[in-house]
Amino acid sequence: MRTYGILALAASLATASAQALQGFNYGSVFTNNAPITGGEYERLFNTAKQLAGTSGAFTSARLFTTIQAGTPNSPTEAIAAADATQTKLLLGIFLSSTEEQFQNELTALRSAITQYGQRLVDLVVGISVGSEDLYRISPTGILNRSNPGEGPDAVVRRINAVRQALAGTILSGAPIGHVDTWTAYVNSSNAAVISACDFIGVDAYPYFQNTQANGIENGESLFFAAYDATVAVSQGKPVWITETGWPVSGPTENQAVPSTENAEIYWDRVGCRAFGQINTWWYILQDAFPNAPSPSFGVVGSTLSTTPLYDLTCPSDSQSSSSSAEDSSPSSPVSPPAGTSDTPPDRETSTTPAPESPESNSGPAASNGDSPGPNSGSPGSNSGSPGANSGSGSNGGSGSNGGSGTNGGSPGSNNDASGSTPVENTVPPTVNTVMTYVTVTTCPVTYTSGAETKTSMTTSTVSVTSTHGNTLSTVASPPSIPSPSSAPGACPTNLNGDFEFPHLIVPVDKNQPDTALGTSFNGLMTPTVSSLFNFDFPASLQGRTCSLVFLFPTRDQLQTSNYTLSGSGGFLVERLNEPADSATSFNNQPEVNVTVNTIPDVQPGNSYVVGSGSCFSNVRIGYKVSATGSLNLDYFQDFNPAPIGLYVTVC
């Protein structure tokens, strides 16, 4: 929508300074994991300021951690380099780690205040508490095997902890925010994070949106659609561009071809449109020293040089084009693209340039720890289209959605019910919901229970429905599972079509009844442990048919997952009165609403239809799966070939 783009740009300009910041992302180690020292940071910062074609505009640096690599909690030597070169800093506090590591970040920050005093205040433009933590704990992040993430409550808690640590210091007035993917921000369950921030940083990479038409000709529209979607939910907070770029080399992602020519086009159409208007930190100055990653996003090559790999001179009309963001915005509201993994692989912990070799005069590459991972992309206009290979990348979450992909979306449409009667779907009218869609399909599977043969198919549009600040209404009990003869429209038991992926998996243990075991990537069913699964059903599923299915391939069919199996028995599947959360334990788990079905004998090489019926709509549903008999099953939920686990398929 054109108006959408205008409002987004206006909101960003209203909070921008007369001359917005321009900079690059910088990691803490080289690609060989050697720590970047103060002298090497200084060379990097000076190179950025002297890049040909940029008129000295790149005078800022975004850091992922405040700790100097190779030390437990000493301040990063990038601060000394920034002081020497007068480079403005967006400091980073690494978040998805242990409490001890987080306290080390705070120790380094306090030490930096003591060491540099007012000079630090003059350099710091903001402090980012975390980077892509919400993304890492999302279904796509989990599928991409990204580093551990954090939920919104944990992110808010640590943002507040940083504020408390700075209270009464000379740095107490520094803006504090968070960096994440646009898909994390448009998920309304994360709204509390935005509320806790002074600014939000958005990461978006159209290159990785490989389930959409993501050729370079669409890079601009995809990126600004993502930016606009973020501004629309920003609660009036400034939205800074903290990562984007186009690779100069690496694999082709759908229609996105890495090359210096395409990187220059993306720079001209996206970078030059944002530079001077929105605070922007490009990914990345150098990531190819001593070894080039794949893909490689560096503006300079393996030799640190002020001569870039492509022309960085902005076209004369780039400023005027930036005043009309609506021209490149989609004509309809955007939702996260199917199967997109939103961000590059864990850059924070990855490589950085190696030290300059005196003989070759090749300076450290500033590779931000990691190179961007798959699909950090911008929102796609095609929101429910099947997702095919969701990005590449290493970000456990970046990259390949779980590696592979089809839509890492959230579970979608299934009525958990079994039966021939449609399920009644009700939800309070005040629920504030944002859906993202990913499509996955599975093949029909048949199993026999007594005299009745049941068939189920799993095709669903993976959708993420986030509800913030409201309680979902109770859903009427679903009817019994129809047999094939009475349910000709049952969905298949494969992920070849639309499907929904669980957005949350929480184990509960009756031997540890008061212990909340937290979220998990695995389904675990034993005689003492059950797993609770949350599925989000978007409003678009109203009137469609859903099947709750369990896919259980043989171990030799798996490519990116695994499982352990012992004992014998099956599953008892129940729908809960309300969804679980990360604080759910055995003793406080939601009450059972209805028994959906029992699968008497679970064996590898089979797919099971638990229940089929009319899809739930605009609601989050919780299911409990318990083992029967002596069954012990522990598996990694993964929709890569061959898919394994509990899904909702839609047809």
Side-chain angles (χ1 to χ4, degrees):
M1 358 185 344
R2 299 173 67 82
T3 305
Y4 194 54
I6 293 172
L7 294 176
L9 189 67
S12 68
L13 295 181
T15 56
S17 59
Q19 185 62 42
L21 295 165
Q22 291 175 223
F24 291 100
N25 286 266
Y26 297 88
S28 60
V29 296
F30 295 113
T31 56
N32 61 358
N33 288 323
I36 301 178
T37 65
E40 290 153 352
Y41 276 120
E42 193 168 330
R43 285 190 289 275
L44 288 165
F45 295 166
N46 279 327
T47 298
K49 295 172 75 171
Q50 298 165 19
L51 280 172
T54 64
S55 303
F58 284 81
T59 57
S60 184
R62 178 197 170 212
L63 307 177
F64 292 90
T65 176
T66 303
I67 298 174
Q68 174 60 28
T71 74
N73 53 25
S74 297
T76 173
E77 294 176 16
I79 297 174
D83 187 30
T85 59
Q86 287 304 289
T87 296
K88 299 295 184 181
L89 293 175
L90 175 55
L91 291 179
I93 301 291
F94 188 70
L95 193 57
S96 294
S97 56
T98 63
E99 180 62 26
E100 179 183 5
Q101 181 65 21
F102 176 67
Q103 292 301 323
N104 284 339
E105 290 278 356
L106 296 183
T107 297
L109 183 58
R110 294 188 192 100
S111 298
I113 294 171
T114 301
Q115 181 175 349
Y116 297 99
Q118 184 60 42
R119 304 201 317 274
L120 180 64
V121 177
D122 295 340
L123 293 173
V124 173
V125 298
I127 300 172
S128 170
V129 182
S131 177
E132 300 181 2
D133 306 276
L134 301 172
Y135 159 76
R136 296 176 194 285
I137 205 170
S138 71
T140 303
I142 292 171
L143 288 173
N144 285 311
R145 312 283 179 84
S146 55
N147 286 343
E150 297 281 1
D153 292 345
V155 174
V156 170
R157 184 170 62 251
R158 287 183 166 175
I159 288 174
N160 291 336
V162 172
R163 290 193 191 280
Q164 293 170 5
L166 295 180
T169 73
I170 59 175
L171 204 57
S172 60
I176 296 176
H178 176 70
V179 169
D180 227 300
T181 64
W182 70 272
T183 50
Y185 291 125
V186 301
N187 186 328
S188 63
S189 65
N190 296 324
V193 173
I194 298 174
S195 299
C197 291
D198 300 319
F199 70 89
I200 58 176
V202 62
D203 296 352
Y205 293 85
Y207 164 74
F208 289 113
Q209 287 183 237
N210 57 13
T211 63
Q212 295 178 282
N214 65 336
I216 189 59
E217 67 278 4
N218 295 323
E220 179 183 13
S221 60
L222 288 174
F223 174 82
F224 282 103
Y227 183 80
D228 286 356
T230 305
V231 170
V233 298
S234 66
Q235 304 174 21
K237 309 293 177 70
V239 178
W240 298 350
I241 299 169
T242 41
E243 286 183 42
T244 194
W246 194 276
V248 295
S249 63
T252 295
E253 290 289 345
N254 190 26
Q255 298 172 11
V257 179
S259 68
T260 54
E261 293 81 3
N262 287 343
E264 180 177 343
I265 292 171
Y266 191 76
W267 176 280
D268 289 348
R269 295 179 181 177
V270 174
C272 293
R273 183 171 160 188
F275 298 151
Q277 306 295 319
I278 306 167
N279 287 347
T280 301
W281 288 269
W282 202 257
Y283 194 84
I284 188 171
L285 177 64
Q286 185 185 39
D287 64 357
F289 185 84
N291 305 305
S294 179
S296 173
F297 285 73
V299 168
V300 299
S302 58
T303 299
L304 190 63
S305 169
T306 58
T307 302
L309 295 175
Y310 49 89
D311 189 359
L312 303 183
T313 305
C314 285
S316 58
D317 61 349
S318 60
Q319 291 303 310
S320 61
S321 68
S322 65
S323 65
S324 57
E326 75 277 11
D327 291 341
S328 67
S329 300
S331 58
S332 59
V334 295
S335 296
T340 61
S341 114
D342 302 288
T343 78
D346 311 322
R347 294 163 301 290
E348 311 81 68
T349 54
S350 88
T351 66
T352 31
E356 166 175 37
S357 156
E359 296 81 18
S360 65
N361 195 27
S362 100
S367 102
N368 202 21
D370 280 306
S371 45
N375 224 343
S376 127
S378 42
S381 51
N382 219 350
S383 77
S385 53
N389 226 345
S390 125
S392 56
S394 58
N395 204 5
S398 50
S400 56
N401 211 356
S404 65
T406 40
N407 230 352
S410 54
S413 46
N414 187 21
N415 269 343
D416 51 346
S418 31
S420 56
T421 321
V423 178
E424 176 185 354
N425 306 315
T426 60
V427 69
T430 56
V431 171
N432 176 21
T433 304
V434 174
M435 278 87 64
T436 57
Y437 302 91
V438 181
T439 302
V440 184
T441 307
T442 52
C443 304
V445 176
T446 302
Y447 73 96
T448 302
S449 173
E452 182 179 16
T453 299
K454 313 210 184 254
T455 302
S456 79
M457 301 185 291
T458 55
T459 303
S460 68
T461 297
V462 175
S463 71
V464 176
T465 304
S466 302
T467 303
H468 178 63
N470 292 281
T471 301
L472 299 177
S473 62
T474 302
V475 182
S477 301
S480 58
I481 303 174
S483 63
S485 59
S486 64
C491 303
T493 51
N494 58 51
L495 302 186
N496 297 329
D498 292 345
F499 71 90
E500 299 294 333
F501 189 96
H503 284 169
L504 185 73
I505 304 175
V506 176
V508 294
D509 187 350
K510 68 180 180 182
N511 288 343
Q512 305 177 71
D514 296 315
T515 300
L517 301 178
T519 59
S520 177
F521 298 166
N522 286 31
L524 176 62
M525 283 74 78
T526 77
T528 63
V529 179
S530 300
S531 287
L532 312 184
F533 298 79
N534 285 358
F535 284 90
D536 292 320
F537 296 83
S540 61
L541 294 181
Q542 184 171 1
R544 299 185 69 184
T545 297
C546 289
S547 295
L548 184 66
V549 302
F550 186 79
L551 309 181
F552 195 20
T554 57
R555 192 172 284 108
D556 60 1
Q557 293 175 305
L558 298 172
Q559 296 182 17
T560 57
S561 184
N562 202 352
Y563 62 83
T564 59
L565 174 66
S566 63
S568 62
F571 293 152
L572 169 65
V573 183
E574 300 165 300
R575 180 161 53 78
L576 304 175
N577 275 338
E578 58 186 27
D581 59 35
S582 59
T584 299
S585 66
F586 183 85
N587 274 350
N588 68 13
Q589 63 183 304
E591 292 184 0
V592 172
N593 178 291
V594 65
T595 296
V596 179
N597 208 344
T598 298
I599 301 174
D601 184 27
V602 173
Q603 295 289 340
N606 291 285
S607 298
Y608 302 92
V609 177
V610 180
S612 294
S614 299
C615 294
F616 289 113
S617 173
N618 199 28
V619 68
R620 177 174 295 157
I621 300 294
Y623 295 95
K624 179 179 180 180
V625 181
S626 306
T628 62
S630 60
L631 183 75
N632 279 266
L633 175 63
D634 185 3
Y635 70 90
F636 178 77
Q637 176 95 17
D638 187 6
F639 61 64
N640 289 304
I644 181 172
L646 192 68
Y647 299 89
V648 169
T649 57
V650 183
C651 56

